[in-house]
Amino acid sequence: MNIKLVKLTTAEELIGDWDQEKNSIINPVVMVPMAKDKVGFQPWVPLAEEEEIFLKEQHIMTVVTPDSKLQNEYKRVFGSGLVIPEESGIIH
């Protein structure tokens, strides 16, 4: 999975599995604030049958890599369920 945050010219921020060559995002969701330091995911186009959505280049402002906590949560919900442990600063 190539998890990216995609900011659109509409100010929406999507997170999903990004394909740069096709300008497409699979299982795109928007982040909804839930509580302090917590977000939930809401489908971006909830009634669409397609999992892969193609975006027009002129509507994309930027594509960035989300922090590891956000990537792990997305992978837990939409991916294999495997998450990467965060570095604790402890040398093994």
Side-chain angles (χ1 to χ4, degrees):
M1 292 183 96
N2 184 31
I3 309 304
K4 296 291 183 180
L5 281 173
V6 180
K7 180 138 180 138
L8 303 177
T9 57
T10 59
E12 294 170 292
E13 290 184 3
L14 310 177
I15 184 170
D17 190 0
W18 177 249
D19 184 328
Q20 182 175 346
E21 291 180 14
K22 299 191 297 184
N23 277 346
S24 71
I25 190 165
I26 299 171
N27 291 322
V29 296
V30 292
M31 293 161 285
V32 180
M34 302 299 284
K36 183 180 179 186
D37 298 330
K38 298 207 185 251
V39 295
F41 294 143
Q42 177 180 342
W44 182 48
V45 186
L47 301 177
E49 288 187 16
E50 294 83 7
E51 290 182 3
E52 183 174 18
I53 308 290
F54 296 88
L55 303 174
K56 293 183 179 181
E57 191 170 332
Q58 66 263 28
H59 297 287
I60 300 168
M61 288 182 63
T62 190
V63 178
V64 297
T65 303
D67 68 25
S68 60
K69 288 179 186 178
L70 193 55
Q71 284 188 55
N72 281 339
E73 185 60 18
Y74 185 87
K75 288 176 185 177
R76 185 185 68 76
V77 174
F78 291 100
S80 63
L82 297 175
V83 297
I84 299 169
E86 300 219 14
E87 293 187 33
S88 62
I90 299 173
I91 300 174
H92 297 264

